[in-house]
Amino acid sequence: MSSPGSSSLAAAGAHAAPAAGRYYRRFTRTERILHSVLMLTFVGCALTGLPLLFSDKPWATALARLLGGFEVAGAIHRICAFGMLAMFACHLVTLIRRGIANKSILGIVWGPDSMVPQPQDAIDLYKHVKWFLGRGPQPKFDRWTYWEKFDYWAVFWGMAIIGGSGLLLWFPVFFAKFLPGWMFNIAALVHGEEALLAVAFIFTIHFYNGHVRPERFPMDTVIFTGRISEHELKHERAVEYERLRREGRLAAYEAPPPTLEAQVWGWFVGGAALLLGIVAIVLIVYSLVH
Ligand code: HEM
């Protein structure tokens, strides 16, 4: 993230480092696959769910017709929903497996590799705001910044709420055996509203973090290639770089530079998602104000 002014331009220039040089692994293959499944299934759910939510709008009926009708859209929605829930379960399993492999279940909820917010995140946020206002130096970050953790938890709880309410809508006969009828009305309401919030959040804030902020413009492909250059690591994750260097663990993360194919693939998938996101936001805003 950057403040207005020359320092942000300097940061943007710094990001455009040559492809040669040292690279480090930031995401494992499993993490990259799970993120791709999440992207694909989220876009699938959004494309097939939004026509239901805005079924009185001409674009919604046109989109549903393009997908093969509302019934087919509902079927695709369930397939994507299943994929998304399976991805979520795999993510939880990988967290536990990592905790066991590192012999530290506590490491899942505490420490630099944890996504759980910690006091340092509040300090970083405070310093960042001060820097935005030109009242202090730019803070240095560790493996995860406070806004990356915010993105993660928005999706994590969103999964639980959208997934939970979606399962109620999917299997009403089963859940009606032990849940009162009003829960289904609430589930329908919560599912639609939370889905709208999730689409708005992912296609604006999350995409801003990945594509538009000065250090990343016009595209951050790290989630597709899994690699970060030494230059980026030193400048954008200075605390992590120093920590790994001090602990003598830097070499263990060294990796070959991303291939051209991986970079092109990242640009293609990221660009397609960005385009879809912009179209979705325009349609949603248009539908809400008309
Ligand atoms: C992850 C698990 C999910 C499950 C189990 C699930 C399940 C369902 C089901 C069963 C329906 C009713 C479909 C029909 O009537 O044919 C539905 C509707 C809908 N879903 Fe999902 N869904 C999930 C995720 C999502 C996601 C991620 C989004 C958006 C990004 C989404 C957006 C919607 C919308 C907008 C509707 C229409 C709601 C309405 O008509 O008020 N769903 N979902």
Side-chain angles (χ1 to χ4, degrees):
M1 211 170 265
S2 189
S3 81
S6 59
S7 57
S8 63
L9 288 176
H15 171 60
R22 280 207 187 94
Y23 274 80
Y24 294 94
R25 196 193 69 228
R26 177 154 171 79
F27 294 109
T28 63
R29 180 193 289 259
T30 309
E31 285 163 343
R32 286 182 283 139
I33 291 174
L34 289 183
H35 185 269
S36 297
V37 174
L38 177 60
M39 275 181 80
L40 199 71
T41 54
F42 183 83
V43 167
C45 279
L47 275 181
T48 50
L50 291 177
L52 290 174
L53 199 60
F54 295 103
S55 53
D56 57 328
K57 304 290 176 204
W59 67 263
T61 28
L63 181 56
R65 208 171 297 135
L66 201 71
L67 293 167
F70 278 100
E71 221 162 281
V72 179
I76 300 174
H77 193 80
R78 284 163 175 79
I79 293 168
C80 290
F82 177 79
M84 194 183 278
L85 291 173
M87 179 286 306
F88 191 49
C90 286
H91 172 61
L92 296 180
V93 170
T94 58
L95 279 184
I96 294 168
R97 278 184 57 182
R98 193 187 311 147
I100 293 170
N102 294 342
K103 295 190 177 65
S104 163
I105 291 292
L106 186 69
I108 301 173
V109 292
W110 194 256
D113 290 325
S114 170
M115 291 305 287
V116 176
Q118 290 160 44
Q120 186 60 42
D121 293 306
I123 297 169
D124 287 347
L125 173 60
Y126 173 71
K127 285 187 179 167
H128 219 180
V129 173
K130 267 180 77 173
W131 179 63
F132 287 146
L133 300 173
R135 295 183 171 268
Q138 185 173 16
K140 292 182 166 55
F141 297 105
D142 206 318
R143 177 160 173 70
W144 305 113
T145 61
Y146 66 86
W147 70 84
E148 285 162 350
K149 291 185 181 183
F150 187 83
D151 279 17
Y152 175 84
W153 285 102
V155 175
F156 195 99
W157 291 122
M159 279 301 312
I161 296 168
I162 297 187
S165 56
L167 286 174
L168 247 70
L169 298 179
W170 195 350
F171 303 107
V173 177
F174 170 74
F175 285 107
K177 286 183 188 151
F178 40 89
L179 291 177
W182 57 264
M183 289 278 283
F184 295 87
N185 293 341
I186 301 281
L189 197 70
V190 163
H191 194 77
E193 297 300 321
E194 175 68 24
L196 211 52
L197 184 69
V199 168
F201 180 84
I202 296 292
F203 292 158
T204 57
I205 310 280
H206 188 65
F207 277 12
Y208 168 81
N209 286 337
H211 295 281
V212 189
R213 71 190 163 91
E215 297 93 325
R216 288 291 158 221
F217 187 80
M219 178 82 67
D220 185 358
T221 54
V222 65
I223 192 63
F224 305 112
T225 65
R227 317 278 162 80
I228 184 172
S229 71
E230 182 175 45
H231 182 88
E232 289 166 73
L233 185 61
K234 269 184 181 170
H235 285 83
E236 292 184 25
R237 318 269 162 188
V239 178
E240 180 185 20
Y241 180 83
E242 267 314 306
R243 182 169 50 76
L244 292 177
R245 199 188 55 77
R246 215 175 37 247
E247 294 169 0
R249 295 199 294 137
L250 211 46
Y253 284 86
E254 213 172 318
T259 60
L260 183 67
E261 288 83 0
Q263 301 240 40
V264 170
W265 177 241
W267 272 79
F268 175 73
V269 178
L274 181 64
L275 199 68
L276 260 174
I278 292 170
V279 172
I281 291 296
V282 169
L283 287 176
I284 290 173
V285 172
Y286 174 81
S287 303
L288 292 177
V289 296
H290 276 78

